[in-house]
Amino acid sequence: MTVPALLPAPPASPVAASYARLAEVFSYLRIEEHAPASSCREARGGSAGTLAAGGAELDAFLVWDDEQVLRDYGTRARPDVVASMGLHRYAWPACLLVTVPWFLHRRVPRLPARNVSFQRTLGRMAVRIEEFACLPGDPAAALPGARVVADEEALRAEVRSSLAEHFEAILDGFGSRMRRGRRALWGWRRTRSSRASGTSAPSSARSGGRGRSWSS
C-alpha cells in the first residue's frame, strides 16, 4: 500500500502547496500540519521545544547519531561531536519549513520551537502555524494569522527573524553538549539562516532527486 507523502492539511492553509512540493522532492520527510488550536504533540514524536531543556528528550534525539558513529567506525564519538551532528541534521529540515514557503509562494510561517514536533526515526515533522508574513496582493493575506509586510526585503527579514526565533531555544539545549560558546553558536545560526534563505529553498524546491536523509 502506498503511503501519501503529505497528510491532509487544515482548510485554507497558506503553506499546504509549498509543503506538498517539499514532500515531493524530500522523500525522507513527511509533514503534518495541525490547526492553530491543536497540539503538535499529536505527531507521536518529540516537541522541538523540549530539546531546549537539554535533558532526556535531547538524549533520545541524539541516540541516532551516537549509534551511527559506533556502527560506522567501531568507536563512540565525543558527546560534543554527537551533539554537533544532531544539531546539523535537525537544522536542515527545520530551515526548509520556513524557507520553502518563502521561496515558492512568498509566505513566511512563524514557527517557534513549541509549534514544531518531530519523529526522527520515521522522518516526520508536524507544525502548527499561528502566524505568517506575506506580501501585499497575496490572496493569503485574508487568512487568519496573516501579516502583510511592505516588500521583498521586508519578507527576507521575516525569514531571518523566524529562523532566529526557532533556533534560539534549540541552541540552548544543544549548546550544553557542545564545545562552543554562545557567540560561536549564534554565528552558526546566522550562517545557517543565510544559507537557508539563499540556497536551501531553491535547490530543494527545484530538485527532482530524493533529497537528503536526517541521517546524512
Side-chain angles (χ1 to χ4, degrees):
M1 180 180 67
T2 301
V3 178
L6 185 71
L7 300 178
S13 164
V15 297
S18 300
Y19 288 167
R21 178 57 182 156
L22 176 58
E24 289 175 4
V25 300
F26 198 173
S27 61
Y28 292 99
L29 179 64
R30 296 178 62 204
I31 305 164
E32 182 178 354
E33 188 183 351
H34 290 180
S38 66
S39 169
C40 281
R41 298 288 293 183
E42 295 170 13
R44 295 176 298 166
S47 166
T50 64
L51 297 179
E57 294 221 24
L58 180 57
D59 289 336
F61 182 86
L62 294 175
V63 164
W64 179 315
D65 307 284
D66 186 43
E67 291 182 347
Q68 183 189 11
V69 172
L70 181 61
R71 181 176 63 251
D72 292 349
Y73 300 102
T75 187
R76 292 197 180 278
R78 297 195 316 262
D80 61 299
V81 173
V82 173
S84 295
M85 293 172 63
L87 176 59
H88 172 77
R89 290 165 175 173
Y90 172 82
W92 175 260
C95 284
L96 294 180
L97 295 175
V98 174
T99 58
V100 168
W102 162 71
F103 177 72
L104 291 179
H105 297 104
R106 291 302 185 262
R107 297 166 188 169
V108 180
R110 203 79 184 184
L111 287 173
R114 68 178 182 276
N115 286 1
V116 177
S117 66
F118 56 86
Q119 174 42 272
R120 190 177 185 187
T121 57
L122 299 178
R124 294 178 179 175
M125 298 187 85
V127 300
R128 184 176 70 248
I129 297 172
E130 299 171 323
E131 180 185 348
F132 68 97
C134 62
L135 293 172
D138 187 335
L143 295 176
R147 184 163 49 83
V148 179
V149 298
D151 52 28
E152 290 280 1
E153 182 56 36
L155 200 63
R156 283 192 291 272
E158 289 292 329
V159 173
R160 294 189 293 270
S161 178
S162 180
L163 292 174
E165 180 184 18
H166 181 85
F167 282 103
E168 181 175 9
I170 300 298
L171 290 179
D172 285 341
F174 280 93
S176 65
R177 311 293 180 87
M178 299 166 65
R179 294 182 176 179
R180 298 187 188 184
R182 184 72 173 177
R183 180 177 298 180
L185 286 171
W186 275 101
W188 174 92
R189 196 275 303 166
R190 286 193 296 271
T191 300
R192 173 63 62 177
S193 298
S194 177
R195 289 178 177 175
S197 61
T199 60
S200 296
S203 63
S204 297
R206 289 172 176 160
S207 170
R210 295 178 60 194
R212 61 190 293 177
S213 165
W214 280 30
S215 63
S216 61

